[in-house]
Amino acid sequence: MDFYHNWLYEYVLNTKWFLWIVVGSIFSINIVGPLFIWRITSSKTKKDTTDTLDTKDNS
């Protein structure tokens, strides 16, 4: 199979706009990913601390 002369490679995968979409997606994931994980972990720790404070008040 001659992949480099395939229509998909010539007109889609090897174009400037497609490569910029790939680069932009990777940069966006690298910036938003840690923020998303930080948001998840910080919300879990807030729930854990409020749960422990509530149980201490009920004792």
Side-chain angles (χ1 to χ4, degrees), residues 19-35:
L19 293 177
W20 276 113
I21 289 173
V22 170
V23 168
S25 300
I26 291 172
F27 281 149
S28 300
I29 290 170
N30 282 332
I31 291 172
V32 175
L35 295 174

Side-chain angles (χ1 to χ4, degrees), residues 3-36:
F3 180 71
Y4 296 109
H5 296 288
N6 190 357
W7 180 88
L8 181 67
Y9 179 78
E10 286 184 3
Y11 295 106
V12 178
L13 298 177
N14 197 25
T15 58
K16 192 173 187 177
W17 60 267
F18 181 75
L19 293 177
W20 276 113
I21 289 173
V22 170
V23 168
S25 300
I26 291 172
F27 281 149
S28 300
I29 290 170
N30 282 332
I31 291 172
V32 175
L35 295 174
F36 184 69

Side-chain angles (χ1 to χ4, degrees), residues 48-59:
D48 292 342
T49 56
T50 56
D51 289 342
T52 56
L53 291 176
D54 290 340
T55 57
K56 288 181 182 177
D57 291 336
N58 290 336
S59 296

